[in-house]
Amino acid sequence: MKRLQIIIVLILSLTLVNCGDELTEDPKHFLVKENFYRNESDAFSALTAVYSTLGQDGGFPTIWYMAMLENRADYSDGRGSQSPMSVYDLPLDNSNQSRMFDAYADIYRGINRANAVLDNVPGIDMDESLKKRYLAEARFLRAYFYSNLVKYWGGVPLRDHEFVDLKDIATPRASAQETWDFIITDLMDALPDLATSFSDSESGRATQWAAKMLMADAYLNTRKWQEASDLADEVITSGAFSLIEVDKAEDFMQIYGPEVNTYTEDIWSIHHSGTNGQRIPTYIGDPNMGYSVGGFRGWVPVMNSVFERWDENDLRKEFNLFSYRIIDGDTVWVNRETPVLFRKFRDPDAPNTDNSRNNVPVFRLAEAYLIYAEAASELKGQPDDVALERLNIVRRRAYGLDLNSPSAIDYPSGMTGQDFKDKVLDERAFEFVLEMKRWNDLLRTGKAQQAIEATGKAWDDVSLLLPLPINEINNNPALSPDDQNPGY
């Protein structure tokens, strides 16, 4: 929601104003709940506050949350204080537990803001169709926030009303399936009233297509193959989106570049600007790269991972990874200690290290192709012609080839269901580097231990879930220490 600014943030504390010689309370001037939610502008401001959780105010997903998901993946190692993120046979250290507690709190902050819209906007006298759309967007955002919780913490307390009093804090922990069911119900309720599209000036807001992608992702995680493939197929055949075609690696800047606001493949993304930026280039870069402001190599590629199977002729590899640059005809390696770095998100003209302008994709059309390929093959036990073709379309694009013409790099027909699934997961790894997908892919397919041990690292099941915050357990009367995730 790049161009939408927060107009009003609710302040739930009393304010005193000076009237003459005395301090008196004047409720007409208080920005409190009783004086809010009165008109269409208030409804829009409340919805904008939900969106502001995404990337603004230092909000979700924070750089630490992104670092955790990427450095948990087999293809990346954390450095410095982030190195424990890439240790799998021990619980997270205190510093990184604290970072994940903050991420958990950020997510629930977004949920509570969505709940505030859902609880209070229905009572506003305003255009009914617009009201329904605002409520639908709030439901979508609540579902998105909960999807992040259930993927990495498991089942969580399901809070479906605005938290305004400590007496409301007691909420039991739901199961993972109950949490997924809640997410799917929210999305089903939201779908009829979401817009199909927005103008470029309002890009970043939730649409029906974003909801269908989030629902397809939910079905993929819960192994409901028919539903996942059907929704992905709807997105693909809708005609609302098209894949960006490339001839050379730098053409992918049409998707990831700092100047890009919208593009034909974008279904939903978290928007950033020079005043509401992100810090990814700082964490993946090197000061000598010339691709970012600053940089200290916080996330370093692991080459004996899935990247071992990444063909050198795949343009995504050239675009995403960096080993050297040519200066005055000489080859200059970026760093002898870590000779290969990430470089997907680049903004050398960012105002400062905290404000790179690159948007962060959440759902792109390429993912609809890959969700369909995986789910359709799982449904039938092996890939049919459509599943195979959709996997190959994504692969052809990666080599700069015509999307719809058979080629020498196509995956062949006749693969077993398991072989095909392995190829889909590889393509997802190559396609979604630094897009917070790989760790969930390894968890949901049960391949996390296998992938991590293949890199030579030790594994323990403590790494399957992140720890619940101590404050949640201590302050929520409906929870006990037994509710903590294993190993913590």
Side-chain angles (χ1 to χ4, degrees):
M1 202 166 177
K2 188 172 181 179
R3 289 177 166 72
L4 298 179
Q5 301 299 319
I6 302 176
I7 304 169
I8 297 174
V9 176
L10 293 179
I11 302 173
L12 299 177
S13 60
L14 293 178
T15 304
L16 297 179
V17 295
N18 195 342
C19 296
D21 295 330
E22 298 182 8
L23 289 175
T24 59
E25 295 183 1
D26 185 359
K28 294 188 297 299
H29 294 83
F30 293 167
L31 190 56
V32 294
K33 187 173 180 179
E34 289 74 13
N35 295 329
F36 198 65
Y37 298 113
R38 295 187 174 187
N39 53 46
E40 183 178 303
S41 177
D42 292 347
F44 180 72
S45 298
L47 177 62
T48 303
V50 191
Y51 278 104
S52 76
T53 312
L54 301 170
Q56 298 183 35
D57 302 334
F60 175 80
T62 62
I63 194 69
W64 300 121
Y65 180 79
M66 297 179 73
M68 179 64 67
L69 298 189
E70 291 305 320
N71 291 325
R72 256 342 197 201
D74 57 327
Y75 61 52
S76 180
D77 268 344
R79 297 177 72 251
S81 69
Q82 299 169 67
S83 59
M85 297 176 179
S86 304
V87 174
Y88 302 89
D89 59 342
L90 295 170
L92 289 173
D93 66 328
N94 289 338
S95 176
N96 285 295
Q97 285 191 49
S98 179
R99 289 166 173 170
M100 291 307 98
F101 296 167
D102 288 345
Y104 182 98
D106 287 336
I107 297 171
Y108 269 110
R109 183 177 299 110
I111 289 169
N112 199 54
R113 290 176 177 180
N115 286 337
V117 172
L118 294 167
D119 284 353
N120 296 289
V121 168
I124 296 176
D125 183 12
M126 59 179 286
D127 178 85
E128 281 300 314
S129 62
L130 192 60
K131 179 193 293 186
K132 288 180 179 179
R133 195 180 78 197
Y134 287 176
L135 295 172
E137 289 180 63
R139 286 193 184 279
F140 168 85
L141 291 167
R142 184 170 70 177
Y144 172 68
F145 292 133
Y146 271 120
S147 74
N148 280 272
L149 288 171
V150 71
K151 285 177 180 178
Y152 306 113
W153 280 272
V156 292
L158 292 175
R159 296 186 168 98
D160 59 356
H161 289 284
E162 183 185 11
F163 179 76
V164 294
D165 194 294
L166 287 176
K167 66 179 176 61
D168 300 326
I169 198 170
T171 310
R173 186 176 186 183
S175 68
Q177 187 58 57
E178 288 169 336
T179 307
W180 281 118
D181 290 343
F182 183 89
I183 290 164
I184 291 169
T185 298
D186 253 357
L187 293 170
M188 286 181 169
D189 290 344
L191 263 173
D193 297 315
L194 287 168
T196 55
S197 64
F198 286 99
S199 65
D200 287 354
S201 65
E202 294 185 290
S203 60
R205 293 179 67 174
T207 64
Q208 288 184 5
W209 304 116
K212 287 179 180 181
M213 284 297 293
L214 182 54
M215 197 181 301
D217 177 69
Y219 285 134
L220 199 67
N221 274 272
T222 52
R223 305 175 68 82
K224 294 183 178 179
W225 310 122
Q226 183 71 67
E227 293 88 342
S229 60
D230 286 349
L231 284 164
D233 186 64
E234 277 191 62
V235 175
I236 294 166
T237 60
S238 69
F241 310 96
S242 60
L243 291 174
I244 294 287
E245 297 193 46
V246 303
D247 293 317
K248 56 187 182 301
E250 287 304 295
D251 288 342
F252 282 107
M253 288 295 280
Q254 298 174 67
I255 297 174
Y256 305 104
E259 307 295 342
V260 175
N261 183 42
T262 62
Y263 54 96
T264 61
E265 190 172 329
D266 181 30
I267 298 174
W268 192 54
S269 55
I270 297 173
H271 284 209
H272 293 280
S273 67
T275 56
N276 169 35
Q278 46 103 321
R279 291 188 281 167
I280 303 172
T282 303
Y283 281 74
I284 63 176
D286 186 305
N288 300 322
M289 289 171 67
Y291 294 134
S292 65
V293 178
F296 56 87
R297 305 185 306 279
W299 314 347
V300 178
V302 176
M303 299 310 292
N304 67 328
S305 63
V306 63
F307 286 173
E308 280 190 318
R309 300 190 289 277
W310 205 351
D311 184 7
E312 294 294 329
N313 294 315
D314 188 326
L315 298 177
R316 295 171 300 190
K317 187 172 187 178
E318 180 183 343
F319 181 80
N320 282 282
L321 302 182
F322 175 82
S323 56
Y324 63 86
R325 60 192 301 201
I326 305 297
I327 301 178
D328 296 329
D330 295 326
T331 299
V332 179
W333 292 90
V334 294
N335 184 277
R336 289 296 182 184
E337 177 190 356
T338 53
V340 180
L341 301 178
F342 293 113
R343 63 169 182 167
K344 169 171 276 183
F345 296 102
R346 319 169 196 168
D347 187 4
D349 298 320
N352 53 58
T353 56
D354 291 343
N355 285 289
S356 293
R357 298 164 296 162
N358 314 74
N359 294 341
V360 178
V362 180
F363 294 118
R364 297 189 283 112
L365 181 60
E367 186 165 12
Y369 279 86
L370 295 176
I371 287 176
Y372 179 87
E374 179 180 347
S377 179
E378 289 285 329
L379 181 65
K380 298 179 180 179
Q382 62 184 28
D384 61 14
D385 291 343
V386 178
L388 180 62
E389 176 65 6
R390 286 179 172 172
L391 176 62
N392 280 328
I393 285 173
V394 174
R395 185 165 170 83
R396 290 170 198 150
R397 193 267 290 271
Y399 285 78
L401 302 174
D402 182 82
L403 300 183
N404 299 305
S405 299
S407 73
I409 56 86
D410 283 4
Y411 290 116
S413 59
M415 283 189 285
T416 66
Q418 185 58 57
D419 286 345
F420 183 79
K421 184 169 187 174
D422 289 343
K423 296 302 183 185
V424 172
L425 290 179
D426 279 0
E427 288 299 321
R428 286 182 62 92
F430 306 149
E431 184 70 27
F432 303 125
V433 172
L434 301 188
E435 295 182 45
M436 296 182 287
K437 305 283 185 181
R438 177 64 172 174
W439 184 232
N440 177 241
D441 283 347
L442 293 176
L443 292 174
R444 69 179 177 79
T445 57
K447 291 183 175 293
Q449 180 175 353
Q450 175 187 339
I452 297 308
E453 290 181 342
T455 67
K457 295 180 180 179
W459 173 268
D460 188 277
D461 284 353
V462 69
S463 290
L464 291 173
L465 293 171
L466 294 172
L468 292 176
I470 300 302
N471 286 342
E472 174 77 274
I473 293 174
N474 289 344
N475 297 329
N476 184 344
L479 299 185
S480 75
D482 291 339
D483 286 296
Q484 182 57 278
N485 284 326
Y488 289 96

